[in-house]
Amino acid sequence: MHAALEVATACGAAQLIVAVPVAPRDLAGSMPGADTLVVLRSPRDFASVGAHYEDFSQVDEDTVGRLLRDAPAAHH
């Protein structure tokens, strides 16, 4: 996330909003580099992101590449 924020800043993003479904409580207050941080759940017993999902299996690079190629182009 930190690397993505740095790249977005370097590309001239006007505002950086980070939104995550779950995060540890110590992150819930701020994310350096983000203008806004939205955290839907910040459980007291947070151990890992994957523990809060029914299926948090890894996605291989070929699948990611295919999904990015097949995604509609962003409109500006």
Side-chain angles (χ1 to χ4, degrees):
M1 185 62 70
H2 296 289
L5 289 167
E6 287 180 22
V7 169
T9 299
C11 289
Q15 185 178 21
L16 298 174
I17 300 170
V18 172
V20 296
V22 62
R25 288 183 177 226
D26 61 337
L27 176 70
S30 69
M31 167 67 69
D35 297 302
T36 303
L37 173 64
V38 178
V39 178
L40 297 182
R41 291 190 61 223
S42 188
R44 191 170 312 221
D45 62 342
F46 184 91
S48 70
V49 172
H52 296 274
Y53 286 83
E54 190 172 306
D55 179 5
F56 197 68
S57 54
Q58 296 296 307
V59 180
D60 63 66
E61 290 185 31
D62 291 337
T63 301
V64 172
R66 180 182 49 76
L67 291 170
L68 289 172
R69 282 190 304 279
D70 294 348
H75 298 282
H76 300 286

